[in-house]
Every structure is written in C-alpha cells, then in structure tokens.
DNA sequence: TCTGGGGTCCTAGGACCC
DNA sequence: TCTGGGGTCCTAGGACCC
C-alpha cells in the first residue's frame, strides 16, 4: 500500500524563535547569525526582501542592517533546541510515527489519514503549533519523503497556498512537477544540476521521466533513487528511531587569531571538554581522535598552514581528562609557530557504545574514579550552566581570547531560570 | 600477441544536507 | 578588523588475500 508523508518545518525557524519572546520583532526584518557572529543563517521574509542572502558575511551587510533597521541576533542554540522540542511535542499529537529530521523539520507518517482529510489535518497542525508554541510552519504532503519535501518547498514559495501543499493530489502533482526546477529537489546540489541539465532535464517532471538506469549511470544509486521517489515509489523509509551517531566533532573559528602554543592548547582542551560532554550524553566513546588547526584563506599575504594529528587512546573513553590529554598531545605533535591560526577542532569517527567497549587491562582503577567525577561535573554544568565546572587544563574562562563571539545573543528565555521573561500587568 | 581472477577492507574525497 | 559548525552517504582505488 502506498504511504503518505508530511514534512512540516518552521518558517525562518531561528528568527521565529526570537519573535516568540519579543513582540517588537513582529513584521520587522530579523536575521540570526552563525557561530562567532560570522554569517546570516536565518532571515525573515522582510530581511530576504531587503536582499540579505543566506550565508552573507555579517561584516559585509552590517551597514545595510543598520540603515534598514534589520534586527540582528547571535545564535541562541539553547533557545532554538528547546523550542524545537516543543514543536515536536505538538506533532506527536497528529501522528504516532515521526522522524525528527533536523532542528526545524520533521516527517510525519499520515498514511492512515483519509485522503479528503489530509489537508484539513495539515492546517489544523499548522494552527495548533502556532497557537501553542508561537512558531509559524509550512506543511508538504507527498507519497514519498522526496515528494513531501518538494511539496514543503512549494508551500513556502507560493503564497496562495497558505503554507500547505498536497502533492498526493494528482492534479497538483501534474501541475507543479513541470513548474519546478530540478535544483529544488532534496539531494540535488549544484553538481547534480549540471548532470541533469546535460541529460536535458529542465523540470522536476523531466527528472521523474528519466530512465532509472540512465540516472544510475550518471549519478550513482542516489540518482536512481531520486527518479523512483519522484514517481511515488518509496526508496527512503521514515526513521522513527534516531540512529546511533557515527562521529562527533567540535570545531570552532577563533574570534581572534591564535599565534602561541599555550593558547592553542587551551582552545583545543576546551573543545575536548565539550566533546566529552557530547559523548557522555549518548554513552558513546572513542579510542582515537583527530586534532586539526589551520590558518584562514581570507588572510591573504600571510603564510598558510593546515595540519592534523591522529592521537590514539589506550582504550575507548569519553572521559574529559583523557580526551584533553590526547588533544593536547596532538597539538604538541604538529605545532609550529609563526602562523596566524584561525580555527581548530577535534573530530572523532567510529564511535562505540561505551558499555560494549573492551576493558583495557590497565587503567581500570582510574576509570572507576573518573566515571563519578564526570557525572558530577556534568550535573554541575547542567544546573549552573556550561563552564561552571571545567578541568583546570581547559583554562580560565576569563582568558579566552580565542573563544567564540556571541555579542547579540538573546536571553535563554526557556532554559535558564534567571532569564525567564517577566510579564507585568498594570 | 599472451602476463589470473576474484574477493574484502579501508581510506580519501566528493556531494549533499540543515 | 570581521567570512559557521555540524552531519551523512557514496564511490573509486589501493592494499591485501587466496
């Protein structure tokens, strides 16, 4: 039996989260910046209309923002993550089968909803999310995930649809597929667009009508799946249980360039500390990690350098102290002075569930002590905020000349008691 | 002239996503 | 002065094996 999927996503999600807690932001242009206040990563319709593009570096648009009265915010991930969870709680009431695809997008299985009720349900969901969380959404319906995603794109682009597009309706399906460019298909990037153009595809309908074998030949199995998905033959299942992650990375650009080894070690130690937190939250561990750092391509005229070091740990672990030790070892191994480093990070792959990891013959004693200590540290940081308790090797918070900039961050309205909004009635 | 023929595993790199 | 930070999947090709 053929299935029906909905893809619901929050409009300009990060900006909408900011608007929920500040009514003055309604109907004015708002943008949210990436880490380090680097580029624009979320824009309201008003900001888009003023020409702000996705990924625009902030230093280039600062003047425009000021002149046009665009409200600018640093990323507030604590807020967005919490709002995302609230939105998903609402979705749960509309379908028992949900895949949380990203912070602002979820797939819902609506196969059991009668065809004449689907759009009604989608609109009900839209208005319920709006009412209960304050977040505006768009919903796309389709018989495969790729079609639901495409429908969602159409729902966003065509104002007359009022935020809901149903491609399970044969009339709409025929109407829209020949009016949308191939580049809008989920999984089709610039490189694939060029290949599709060479095959004579000007629209999504052309892609759908390709010979699947030809699609496979030019674009691997990914291209073949695309053709089938567009025809309504599902190749991608709903992933209702989040897969165990395979890798984990903590990487950051510095707010100021780093030129001395001690600072680099401190920065990398802080990344290692953060990595430990992330791994412990999912009971995963690693027995090797890659440390890297490099200069900036934008520093023209300065010597460039990009290095990495793989450090092996005696056994799989998520202990912050062990990770810091390994990370600093990596820095020492490849450090060379005389460069203006702009970014550093730690990457792990091949994560293992820690309970299943082999127990090393030595070090068991340390591990028995470190477990409770890490738990205590995590508990303190949950309660008093990240960085409340850090290993001395991760450095003083004050001295972090390398740390990330968030100069325009809004309060963590929903996750910090001290920052909960106050309402006055008079 | 002809120079075996499969397998598996691993890694690097490309492409794409949000 | 100032240009994000995560992820996933796929393939080709080398190393190695019998």
């Amino acid at each position: 039996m053929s299935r029906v999927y909905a893809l619901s996503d929050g409009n300009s999600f990060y900006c909408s989260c900011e608007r929920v807690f500040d009514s003055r932001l309604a109907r004015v242009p708002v943008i949210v910046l990436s880490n380090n206040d680097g580029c624009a990563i979320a824009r309201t319709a008003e900001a888009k209309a003023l020409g702000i593009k996705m990924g625009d570096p902030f230093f280039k648009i600062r003047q425009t923002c000021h002149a046009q009265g665009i409200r600018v915010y640093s990323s507030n991930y604590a807020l967005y993550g919490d709002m995302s969870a609230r939105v998903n709680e609402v979705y749960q009431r509309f379908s028992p089968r949900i895949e949380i695809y990203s912070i602002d997008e979820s797939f819902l299985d609506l196969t059991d909803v009668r065809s004449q009720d689907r759009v009604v349900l989608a609109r009900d969901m839209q208005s319920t999310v709006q009412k209960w969380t304050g977040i505006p959404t768009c919903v796309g319906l389709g018989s495969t995930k790729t079609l639901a995603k495409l429908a969602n794109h159409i729902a966003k682009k065509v104002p007359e649809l009022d935020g809901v597009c149903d491609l399970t309706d044969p009339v709409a399906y025929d109407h829209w597929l020949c009016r949308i460019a191939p580049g809008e298909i989920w999984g089709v990037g610039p490189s694939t667009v060029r290949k599709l153009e060479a095959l004579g595809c000007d629209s999504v309908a052309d892609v759908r009508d390709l010979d699947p074998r030809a699609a496979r030949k030019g674009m691997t199995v990914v291209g073949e799946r695309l053709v089938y998905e567009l025809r309504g033959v599902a190749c991608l299942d709903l992933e209702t249980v989040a897969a165990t992650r395979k890798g984990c990375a903590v990487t950051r650009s510095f707010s100021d360039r780093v030129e001395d080894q001690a600072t680099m070690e401190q920065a990398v130690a802080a990344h290692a500390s953060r990595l430990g937190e992330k791994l412990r939250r999912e009971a995963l561990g690693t027995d090797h990690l890659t440390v890297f750092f490099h200069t900036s391509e934008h520093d023209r005229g300065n010597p460039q350098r990009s290095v990495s070091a793989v450090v092996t740990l005696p056994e799989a672990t998520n202990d912050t102290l062990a990770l810091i030790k390994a990370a600093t070892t990596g820095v020492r191994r490849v450090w060379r002075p005389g460069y203006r480093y702009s970014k550093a990070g730690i990457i792990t792959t091949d994560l293992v569930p820690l309970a299943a990891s082999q127990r090393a013959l030595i070090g068991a004693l340390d591990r028995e002590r470190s477990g409770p200590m890490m738990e205590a540290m995590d508990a303190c940081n949950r309660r008093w905020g990240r960085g409340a308790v850090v290993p001395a090797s991760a450095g003083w918070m004050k001295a972090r000349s390398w740390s990330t900039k968030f100069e325009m961050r809004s309060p963590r309205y929903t996750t910090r008691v001290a920052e909960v909004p106050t309402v006055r009635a008079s």
Side-chain angles (χ1 to χ4, degrees):
Chain A
M1 180 184 138
S2 96
R3 311 203 68 86
V4 176
Y5 297 106
L7 179 70
S8 185
D9 80 333
N11 305 342
S12 314
F13 183 66
Y14 294 174
C15 296
S16 295
C17 291
E18 300 292 346
R19 276 179 168 167
V20 168
F21 294 93
D22 189 345
S23 57
R24 292 167 301 181
L25 300 181
R27 290 178 295 280
V28 304
V30 179
I31 64 172
V32 172
L33 303 177
S34 64
N35 267 324
N36 240 345
D37 295 341
C39 346
I41 52 168
R43 309 153 295 149
T44 60
E46 296 83 359
K48 290 173 194 170
L50 289 169
I52 306 297
K53 301 273 183 300
M54 185 70 176
D56 274 352
F58 180 52
F59 76 93
K60 282 190 183 165
I61 57 173
R62 188 191 295 266
Q63 287 313 315
T64 312
C65 290
H66 186 71
Q68 304 284 349
I70 298 173
R71 303 290 307 268
V72 182
Y73 287 86
S74 305
S75 301
N76 185 343
Y77 294 114
L79 175 66
Y80 311 149
D82 184 62
M83 292 303 288
S84 173
R86 290 166 194 241
V87 169
N88 276 298
E89 270 177 44
V90 180
Y91 293 155
Q92 300 280 356
R93 306 175 78 99
F94 289 84
S95 172
R97 278 178 37 87
I98 291 191
E99 172 185 340
I100 299 172
Y101 175 65
S102 74
I103 194 163
D104 74 325
E105 290 175 79
S106 292
F107 287 101
L108 290 78
D109 186 341
L110 298 185
T111 304
D112 295 336
V113 180
R114 293 186 308 173
S115 58
Q116 62 269 37
D117 297 335
R118 281 175 204 148
V119 172
V120 177
L121 180 132
R123 294 214 179 279
D124 184 16
M125 186 163 80
Q126 218 185 2
S127 66
T128 308
V129 172
Q130 173 80 58
K131 229 179 292 173
W132 293 4
T133 70
I135 299 293
T137 54
C138 281
V139 186
L141 300 167
S143 55
T144 62
K145 286 167 81 174
T146 303
L147 285 168
K149 195 86 163 100
L150 192 69
N152 176 274
H153 166 79
I154 298 165
K156 267 187 288 201
K157 291 284 156 146
V158 184
E160 302 79 64
L161 292 175
D162 224 0
V164 176
C165 174
D166 179 13
L167 288 179
T168 67
D169 172 3
V171 177
Y173 178 83
D174 288 336
H175 177 84
W176 289 115
L177 261 66
C178 50
R179 285 173 174 75
I180 307 288
E184 307 299 344
I185 303 168
W186 187 33
V188 174
S191 163
T192 308
V193 165
R194 285 192 292 274
K195 287 174 191 155
L196 288 169
E197 278 167 358
L199 290 169
C201 295
D202 297 325
S203 69
V204 177
D206 293 337
V207 180
R208 172 199 61 194
D209 296 335
L210 282 176
D211 176 351
R213 285 163 304 182
R216 183 173 191 135
K217 202 156 170 252
M219 296 170 290
T220 80
V221 62
V222 179
E224 184 181 17
R225 273 201 300 244
L226 215 64
V227 171
Y228 281 117
E229 282 261 318
L230 290 173
R231 292 178 183 189
V233 180
C235 303
L236 308 171
D237 283 333
L238 207 64
E239 284 161 33
T240 52
V241 181
T244 312
R245 72 156 79 223
K246 301 192 163 82
C248 188
V250 178
T251 71
R252 292 283 182 281
S253 296
F254 304 126
S255 53
D256 298 319
R257 300 287 187 249
V258 167
E259 298 182 59
D260 69 289
Q261 186 177 352
T263 308
M264 181 65 81
E265 284 181 17
Q266 207 176 86
V268 166
H271 295 349
S273 178
R274 179 83 190 99
L275 181 75
E277 281 173 37
K278 286 168 83 173
L279 294 181
R280 288 196 293 279
R281 211 160 47 201
E282 299 178 42
L284 295 169
T286 182
D287 64 1
H288 61 276
L289 48 81
T290 303
V291 183
F292 75 85
F293 47 90
H294 57 71
T295 52
S296 168
E297 296 166 15
H298 303 293
D299 276 359
R300 282 191 214 87
N302 285 309
Q304 299 286 316
R305 185 160 190 255
S306 175
V307 284
S308 64
V310 179
V311 184
T312 307
L313 293 130
E315 62 171 335
T317 184
N318 56 24
D319 179 277
T320 289
L321 299 180
L323 295 173
I324 288 178
K325 198 174 154 200
T328 37
T329 300
V331 173
R332 285 169 196 164
R333 203 178 288 165
V334 291
W335 173 261
R336 196 189 293 167
Y339 297 89
R340 302 179 70 237
Y341 296 105
S342 68
K343 181 174 180 173
I346 304 179
I347 301 170
T348 62
T349 52
D350 312 309
L351 298 178
V352 292
L354 216 49
S357 79
Q358 292 163 343
R359 307 202 62 151
L361 292 174
I362 49 167
L365 208 95
D366 280 351
R367 191 174 42 241
E368 276 160 24
R369 269 204 309 251
S370 94
M373 180 160 76
M374 290 300 117
E375 273 172 41
M377 198 170 79
D378 289 341
C380 290
N381 287 329
R382 271 196 301 275
R383 179 152 179 190
W384 291 297
R386 183 171 303 144
V389 177
V390 295
S393 41
W396 295 104
M397 303 305 282
K398 272 184 201 164
R400 299 183 314 168
S401 61
W402 44 268
S403 70
T404 308
K405 260 196 300 199
F406 291 98
E407 287 175 351
M408 297 156 282
R409 181 151 65 191
S410 54
R412 287 157 287 192
Y413 298 109
T414 63
T415 55
R416 297 296 294 277
V417 170
E419 301 176 17
V420 165
T422 309
V423 178
R424 290 193 186 77
S426 52

